[in-house]
Amino acid sequence: MTDRQNIDTVLAERDAYNAALAGTRRRGGSWPALLVILAALALFPLVQLTGGNWNYPLHLMLYAFMYVAMTSGWNILGGFAGYISIGHNVFFCIGGYVSGMLLASYGISSFLTAPLAGVVAMAVGFCVGFITLRVRGPAFIISSIALLMVARILFDNWDFVGGSNGISLPRMELPVQYVKIPYYYAMLVIAVASLVASYAIRHSKFGLGLRAISQDEIKAESAGIDTRFYKILAFAISAFFVGTAGAIWGEYMTYIRPNIFLIILVAANMVLMCILGGKGTVAGPVVGTVLLIAFNEFFVSQFGASQINILGTGIIMILALMFFPNGIVGTLRRRGRLPRILDWD
Amino acid sequence: MFEVRRLSKSFGGIHAVNDCSFAVDEGSITALIGPNGAGKTTVFNLISGTLASDSGEVWLEGKRIDSLRPHQITRRGMSRTFQITRTLEDLTVLENLIVQSRVTGIGGLFRKAIGSAEEARAMELLDFVGITRLAHEEARNLSFGQKKLMDFAALLMSEPKIILLDEPAGGVNPTLLEAIVGHIQELNRGGLTVLIVEHNIELVMSISHKVVVMAYGSVIAEGEPDAIQADRRVLDAYLGAQSADA
């Protein structure tokens, strides 16, 4: 074969590759399968009516829904915009306290006040973001930790909300086998809402702008994006979902106390679940949440609630990130092996 | 159309830009040249709002823009490229262009990321620079030259009145350089004003209507290319004082 033929062959192959690429569109997610899963989740509490004791699985699932909501919310700022916050549980706390205080003082159920709690968390997020989003990178991470510390000191010493002892909340008057069911549905609704919002943002101009910011903020600003406004708005929206989840969680726990909400473990869970699943992807927070909770439950069942279960989960995290450096969803996408059911980006 | 008046910027004790003034006429190609360290890129950064000036004014179409943020300046009709090509690596080529398109109002933020009209415009621009086939490729997979072309196309997406090109010929092969020069001249014939920082003197002299020469942060000469080539101050700045003795 002559050199000319070689070149022609290479060019022809390259053109074919490019033509295929140009014709490629992102595959949509597998909506029917997702709807089936959602329907199964909605019907799951009915097993409790069979007389069996499904309280622990119900608790575990509503706990997972809560983290899906919070991690998806966190992902709007931390994943799409690339601003890692380790103080987002402050909004979890604000949501819990707003609804908790309304329940304790006026007897209004958190199911009714959760959206309001989310709005208050959003407003606080807007103000906090206005101040802290002037810095980026490690400085922003430190500012988010400072926010958490300030909030902890404030709530520990604020007598009106019970200080470090917190406040007890009235328990919902339902038989014990059914009492988790309303919270299960509430958390499911919040989780689905946060995923829908995350999906809508990911596919909007706002989401495109946030992704540009996460890549190169100077370039994004030069492209005409009001980076400061985009970041503050992302911060506020993410605070809304975390705050709403906190509202339901407070009533579910039947008390509100700083050491439920304002511990670093809650914030760390949000970050780790998102990174494990795939930061900046819509499905990543779901995958990360399910896997981290599953790992933890497995190790607890094997070793009890000891330090070993934390060690085991940590080792799994390290291994997962060695083989999936962009998170599971992010890495599988880059390798072209992402199952359709997880392709929501 | 565009004017810089007594612009200054210091970094610690170094006067990167010192009392710099020049004007760019509407519809012209103006080149900003000078030896390394003359302050050309700093001037670009001050004009585009990427850096804040210590003093001085920048005027665009009769309005001061030196207190505006970069995105506001872009929205006023001035777009720029960077000396080292900056691409949004995880975004596709198409998204790299779409991200430059104008978004109006809060409602606009939540519209579909890639509208059909914007996509058509982006594809038209990609066709203009000859990389339509790469529209759905992630920018990280592009070669250096392809990134230059994408950057150039993205620049036009915001429909600017004036473009600032920071070393468009830097590191490109002669064929690509020819293509880029052709694109600049074609756009200029269409009425676009161009301010260009470039080290390739041959390129500058062949396409510019006016040349502004900087040295040590100040403008030392400005005029038509032929006059600049014969200017002793320019020769001194580039070759050192010995040119005056020769």
Side-chain angles (χ1 to χ4, degrees), chain B residues 79-97:
Chain B
S79 288
R80 68 164 295 184
T81 62
F82 290 87
Q83 190 173 7
I84 297 165
T85 308
R86 301 179 89 127
T87 52
L88 304 168
E89 301 276 291
D90 282 353
L91 271 56
T92 64
V93 170
L94 186 63
E95 286 172 333
N96 264 274
L97 266 70

Side-chain angles (χ1 to χ4, degrees), chain B residues 154-168:
Chain B
L155 188 71
L156 304 172
M157 197 64 196
S158 59
E159 298 182 13
K161 296 167 194 159
I162 175 168
I163 56 173
L164 279 59
L165 304 173
D166 199 350
E167 296 195 26

Side-chain angles (χ1 to χ4, degrees), chain B residues 167-188:
Chain B
E167 296 195 26
V172 303
N173 64 55
T175 312
L176 181 58
L177 180 59
E178 198 178 321
I180 289 175
V181 168
H183 296 324
I184 294 171
Q185 288 179 315
E186 190 178 336
L187 289 166
N188 178 248

Side-chain angles (χ1 to χ4, degrees), chain A residues 67-146:
Chain A
Y67 267 110
V68 166
M70 295 208 295
T71 310
S72 280
W74 183 92
N75 189 43
I76 293 167
L77 179 73
F80 295 158
Y83 274 71
I84 307 289
S85 165
I86 307 185
H88 248 52
N89 48 336
V90 169
F91 306 108
F92 185 49
C93 177
I94 289 169
Y97 270 76
V98 168
S99 279
M101 291 304 292
L102 288 170
L103 176 61
S105 305
Y106 304 105
I108 307 172
S109 167
S110 298
F111 293 93
L112 299 175
T113 59
L116 174 69
V119 170
V120 173
M122 188 176 187
V124 175
F126 200 91
C127 297
V128 170
F130 189 77
I131 299 163
T132 60
L133 287 165
R134 289 169 189 273
V135 293
R136 64 179 83 154
F140 176 76
I141 296 173
I142 291 166
S143 76
S144 70
I145 297 171

Side-chain angles (χ1 to χ4, degrees), chain B residues 30 45 61 85 93 103 117 119 129-130 159 163 186 202 216 240:
Chain B
T30 302
N45 288 338
E61 294 187 314
T85 308
V93 170
V103 178
E119 185 173 359
V129 297
E159 298 182 13
I163 56 173
E186 190 178 336
E202 197 181 329
Y216 302 110

Side-chain angles (χ1 to χ4, degrees), chain A residues 14-15 17-19 21-26 200-209 211-213 215-230 233 237 333-334, chain B residues 50 69-72 74-75 80 82 86-92 94-95 98-103 106 108-115 118-119 132-134 136-138 140 146 151:
Chain A
R14 180 68 192 171
D15 284 347
Y17 168 78
N18 286 330
L21 202 63
T24 301
R25 294 281 171 170
R26 287 253 184 251
I201 288 171
R202 170 64 178 75
H203 293 272
S204 69
K205 297 218 168 286
F206 180 49
L208 187 59
R211 288 166 61 214
I213 289 169
Q215 300 275 300
D216 184 340
E217 197 161 336
I218 293 172
K219 170 74 178 175
E221 179 82 26
S222 289
I225 294 168
D226 185 349
T227 55
R228 193 179 297 166
F229 178 69
Y230 274 53
L233 186 60
I237 293 172
R333 154 153 311 115
R334 194 154 285 177
Chain B
T50 310
R69 291 176 51 213
H71 77 273
Q72 293 169 317
T74 304
R75 293 298 167 232
R80 68 164 295 184
F82 290 87
R86 301 179 89 127
T87 52
L88 304 168
E89 301 276 291
D90 282 353
L91 271 56
T92 64
L94 186 63
E95 286 172 333
I98 298 283
V99 83
Q100 303 254 160
S101 58
R102 188 182 292 261
V103 178
I106 295 279
L109 285 178
F110 295 98
R111 284 202 346 255
K112 212 169 119 187
I114 302 177
E118 290 160 336
E119 185 173 359
T132 317
R133 66 188 189 281
L134 299 172
H136 301 286
E137 182 79 86
E138 281 187 0
R140 68 171 64 254
Q146 288 167 336
D151 204 26

